[in-house]
Amino acid sequence: MESRYYFSIRYIPEHVDNELLAGRCISNMHGFLSHERNTQFKNSVGICFPLWNEQTVGNVITFVSTNESILTGLSYQPYFSTMMNENLFEISGIRIVPDDAKDVRFVFNKTIQKIFNGSKKRRIKRAMKRAEEFGHTFTPISVEVREFELFHEIPINSKSSGRDFVLHIQRQNPVEAEIGQGFNGYGFASNQLWRRTVPLILF
């Protein structure tokens, strides 16, 4: 099995918004991997929340990759260095994942977004516009709200588009390790295309 590496960040203050800080960490990772020098690695880094529970994603975020050098570069990003220098983050060194580590999968579930009114309204408007283009009358009908297993919302700010959005993340556990496939641009698996797993390792 191909070797994997990781480093972890722990949020030091006792009372913080774990999801907000996770979003900022992920945004910085996304920006780093989107840089022209690193685009070949943009699907190579995964996210793990080892202290995930029903209330929160936890105060630790772990970055995992088979590429040790890309993790080293990521760990030295200015945002991480600043937060560490201000005693807000504790950052581990780059370590190799033990062979006996258990794997989990953190999934970005886009389907969850569709249960929220903002998304529903946008989809209805698009459907109405398409119907008008073909000379049809479109009447929105009530759709039963789907129920989902536990998920957490992570706010993200896209530096490229300048817009804010939310990642709806679920945890699948336990699963067999899958190393051969990549992650999406924010370090997560998806319901279909991206199925890669991450090791469950504490800080």
Side-chain angles (χ1 to χ4, degrees):
M1 183 179 290
E2 191 174 8
S3 295
R4 291 181 292 178
Y5 304 88
Y6 74 97
F7 76 91
S8 297
I9 294 175
R10 183 173 69 86
Y11 320 137
I12 295 175
E14 186 174 346
H15 302 290
V16 295
D17 186 329
N18 292 327
E19 286 68 36
L20 177 65
L21 290 180
R24 290 179 177 173
C25 290
I26 294 167
S27 292
N28 276 271
M29 179 202 78
H30 179 72
F32 173 71
L33 295 178
S34 298
H35 192 279
E36 59 183 13
R37 293 175 304 181
N38 303 321
T39 52
Q40 61 180 314
F41 302 109
K42 71 175 185 176
N43 300 113
S44 69
V45 180
I47 299 292
C48 181
F49 300 111
L51 298 181
W52 171 285
N53 57 61
E54 290 188 2
Q55 289 73 41
T56 174
V57 298
N59 70 335
V60 173
I61 184 171
T62 299
F63 300 90
V64 181
S65 180
T66 56
N67 190 297
E68 185 178 9
S69 62
I70 203 69
L71 287 184
T72 300
L74 176 60
S75 69
Y76 281 100
Q77 285 304 287
Y79 174 72
F80 297 150
S81 299
T82 298
M83 295 294 276
M84 184 175 65
N85 291 336
E86 294 181 0
N87 294 318
L88 298 174
F89 281 2
E90 180 182 0
I91 304 178
S92 76
I94 309 297
R95 300 167 180 166
I96 192 166
V97 174
D99 291 335
D100 60 353
K102 293 182 179 180
D103 269 58
V104 295
R105 182 181 286 119
F106 288 95
V107 178
F108 169 34
N109 191 343
K110 285 187 175 182
T111 307
I112 296 175
Q113 180 63 35
K114 297 177 181 178
I115 69 175
F116 295 100
N117 287 333
S119 178
K120 283 183 180 179
K121 289 177 181 177
R122 287 192 295 272
R123 285 184 289 127
I124 289 173
K125 284 183 178 179
R126 285 197 298 267
M128 291 177 69
K129 184 176 180 180
R130 284 196 302 268
E132 289 174 1
E133 290 174 353
F134 289 97
H136 301 300
T137 301
F138 176 82
T139 304
I141 58 174
S142 177
V143 179
E144 181 181 353
V145 176
R146 296 179 58 180
E147 293 185 2
F148 294 93
E149 294 184 6
L150 174 71
F151 64 87
H152 289 304
E153 298 179 338
I154 299 178
I156 294 286
N157 174 261
S158 173
K159 294 181 179 179
S160 58
S161 68
R163 67 186 182 93
D164 297 326
F165 59 99
V166 174
L167 300 177
H168 296 88
I169 306 300
Q170 294 177 299
R171 170 173 155 166
Q172 296 176 356
N173 176 48
V175 293
E176 290 187 12
E178 291 192 27
I179 300 177
Q181 300 177 16
F183 304 97
N184 72 8
Y186 294 96
F188 296 105
S190 65
N191 287 328
Q192 295 180 339
L193 180 60
W194 309 109
R195 303 300 293 160
R196 196 161 170 178
T197 61
V198 288
L200 188 61
I201 298 177
L202 296 177
F203 189 88

